[in-house]
Amino acid sequence: MAVTTASAPGKVILFGEHAVVYGQPAIAAPVTQVAATAEVRDTPPGTPAGVRLIAPDLAQETWLATSDDQDALAAAVRQVQAAAGLPQLPNLTITVHSSIPIASGLGSGAAIAAAVIRALTRHLGRPDLATAEQVAALAYEVEKIHHGTPSGIDNTVVAYEQPVYFERRQPHNLIETFAVARPVHILVADTGIRSSTKAVVSDVRRQWTASPAAFNQLFAGCGHLARSARRALEAGDLASLGQLMNENHRLLQAMTVSSAELDRLVAAAQSAGALGAKLSGAGRGGNMIALIEPGREASLRATLLAAGARQVLTSVLK
Ligand code: PMV
């Protein structure tokens, strides 16, 4: 009985969240300490026909044929079926596990979609549909279910599994992978507060519509920081990178997407010697990130936990 497995990492946005929806550049990186995995298995003869979708972590078990159009797992499978031009799929059992916290800005939805797309395309003997570019494109269609108008950065970084410099563009997004000159150590601290990306993105849109000049200026400021940050990463200038993160956090505060909990963790990291800190992702909950010097991990982790973080992950970008 053939079995195919694949995985996709979590992600953090280092620079440019929200502004990226309005065409500004942003930088995101994978977080490999957490991942989504998908296993595709041929169903043994004699068992009921169809495609079974199982997500034990979510206590979810459905059939593709009867799933509704809000089911992201089913949507990922349908994207592959359509891309492969198959009128019908063989009888399969698809099981998904994820250690990525949901609704916290770590890209859990995009990673689950990417893992399923990768495993299923390979299982069907279509490695041409399992390239980073194809996986990103198919996962984008799935992201639309929960996010409305996603910029595309989440599905891109989990599909490429490398730091990416991203700009939303028509007809094709600008996607550039790039090398960092020195390892970048970051802590990712969770406020424990769930936040709906769709709700925060639409509230920013409401404010932008009411005050376009002010918000365009904030977005342009974020774009400027993302461009400078890419140069700092490529030069290994971590001190400048940290300053740019602090500035990005201030712009996100001005967009009203921070929260008391996020501000508390950011301030705690900054005063405990982090090179820089900011919220990461949609905001109003979810995670913040702190840039640290190697060797400072244990003390900064303790600081963040004492300031209320529910979980602290480490990520090293190389
Ligand atoms: O999924 P999150 O919480 O990391 O947020 C995505 C980042 C936004 O820029 C706020 C939205 C988007 O589509 O890029």
Side-chain angles (χ1 to χ4, degrees):
M1 232 19 76
V3 182
T4 312
T5 56
S7 65
K11 73 98 215 334
V12 283
I13 296 184
L14 298 176
F15 290 91
E17 48 275 272
H18 290 291
V20 68
V21 175
Y22 298 83
Q24 296 292 339
I27 297 176
V31 176
T32 50
Q33 284 74 3
V34 286
T37 53
E39 181 200 85
V40 180
R41 184 180 284 273
D42 290 330
T43 309
T47 43
V51 177
R52 192 109 183 96
L53 306 170
I54 307 178
D57 307 335
L58 304 174
Q60 192 184 311
E61 212 171 316
T62 48
W63 289 96
L64 182 65
T66 52
S67 61
D68 65 50
D69 52 10
Q70 291 298 299
D71 184 329
L73 203 49
V77 174
R78 289 203 192 93
Q79 284 300 325
V80 172
Q81 183 177 1
L86 294 174
Q88 207 180 338
L89 288 168
N91 296 335
L92 300 169
T93 301
I94 301 177
T95 309
V96 174
H97 290 278
S98 177
S99 58
I100 308 172
I102 57 169
S104 62
L106 289 180
S108 128
I112 289 172
V116 169
I117 291 162
R118 235 177 230 147
L120 184 55
T121 48
R122 288 186 192 144
H123 193 83
L124 296 171
R126 292 294 305 268
D128 56 312
L129 296 176
T131 61
E133 199 180 344
Q134 286 290 335
V135 172
L138 297 177
Y140 181 71
E141 297 305 314
V142 180
E143 284 277 279
K144 283 185 191 165
I145 295 177
H146 292 308
H147 287 208
T149 53
S151 65
I153 193 167
D154 278 23
N155 47 293
T156 299
V157 69
V158 303
Y160 281 75
E161 300 183 275
Q162 285 179 64
V164 293
Y165 179 87
F166 178 94
E167 250 178 67
R168 182 182 196 181
R169 284 194 189 164
Q170 293 296 341
H172 298 295
N173 294 326
L174 173 77
I175 298 166
E176 290 177 355
T177 53
F178 62 95
V180 298
R182 280 168 61 190
V184 178
H185 294 250
I186 58 171
L187 294 180
V188 184
D190 192 350
T191 58
I193 295 164
R194 301 285 160 254
S195 164
S196 155
T197 298
K198 192 173 185 170
V200 185
V201 168
S202 68
D203 189 49
V204 170
R205 184 165 295 275
R206 181 188 60 75
Q207 295 185 72
W208 171 69
T209 310
S211 321
F215 271 71
N216 284 336
Q217 200 177 345
L218 292 171
F219 297 149
C222 294
H224 179 71
L225 294 176
R227 286 186 200 94
S228 305
R230 177 169 175 177
R231 286 194 292 273
L233 283 162
E234 287 175 334
D237 183 355
L238 300 183
S240 298
L241 193 70
Q243 291 304 320
L244 295 167
M245 283 170 68
N246 293 339
E247 283 174 44
N248 199 161
H249 187 70
R250 282 193 286 274
L251 295 180
L252 290 163
Q253 285 175 315
M255 282 178 214
T256 76
V257 298
S258 193
S259 68
E261 296 80 8
L262 284 164
D263 285 346
R264 187 164 67 233
L265 294 179
V266 167
Q270 287 164 340
S271 51
L275 298 171
K278 64 182 276 291
L279 73 84
S280 177
R284 296 196 182 152
N287 281 273
M288 56 75 70
I289 54 176
L291 177 67
I292 59 166
E293 278 161 330
R296 298 297 313 280
E297 186 190 326
S299 72
L300 269 150
R301 172 188 294 275
T303 299
L304 288 166
L305 289 170
R310 296 297 159 83
Q311 176 180 255
V312 182
L313 301 172
T314 315
S315 186
V316 183
L317 321 181
K318 292 185 213 180

